[in-house]
Amino acid sequence: MIRIVVLIGSNRRNGNTELLAKAFAEGASKNNIVELVSADDYTVNPCIGCNTCFLREGNKCFQNDDMPKIYEKLRNADGFKSSFLGGWEKIRGMYEIHN
């Protein structure tokens, strides 16, 4: 069995993005260990492109948000599936701007 993290990037609970992610997780969990991770459960600030993370030990962002917790889940996974609201040909939802 492999460990899969399913990353949900929409803040709309039980919306289409989450429903699709859950359907994938249900099928994948038959032969794998699957964890659903919703960005809405975390405080995630948008990257401002300052690149100071490259200068810090461990590449830690100066914004003390919950991204390190999500990164840790991804590091411990053998694979991941992302599920984002599709629109205007770019990643949207909680990873674009999260309040």
Side-chain angles (χ1 to χ4, degrees):
M1 285 193 159
I2 63 170
R3 179 177 220 85
I4 301 171
V5 171
V6 179
L7 204 50
I8 302 169
S10 174
N11 63 340
R12 193 169 145 229
R13 292 291 181 177
N14 297 313
N16 291 336
T17 301
E18 186 170 338
L19 293 175
L20 286 170
K22 286 181 176 179
F24 172 85
E26 182 181 335
S29 66
K30 292 177 182 169
N31 297 314
N32 303 287
I33 300 167
V34 179
E35 180 180 5
L36 287 167
V37 176
S38 177
D40 198 40
D41 294 334
Y42 298 87
T43 300
V44 178
N45 299 319
C47 176
I48 63 169
C50 68
N51 293 330
T52 60
C53 57
F54 294 118
L55 305 173
R56 296 175 191 275
E57 185 176 334
N59 300 112
K60 184 161 173 35
C61 180
F62 80 93
Q63 301 186 77
N64 291 316
D65 62 8
D66 292 332
M67 277 308 296
K69 294 176 186 175
I70 296 172
Y71 290 146
E72 185 65 23
K73 290 178 181 294
L74 293 173
R75 265 193 294 279
N76 292 328
D78 298 309
F80 81 96
K81 169 74 175 120
S82 58
S83 182
F84 295 93
L85 171 68
W88 298 291
E89 285 74 43
K90 64 179 181 175
I91 294 175
R92 305 219 6 165
M94 303 315 287
Y95 293 99
E96 185 175 340
I97 295 179
H98 186 284
N99 326 22

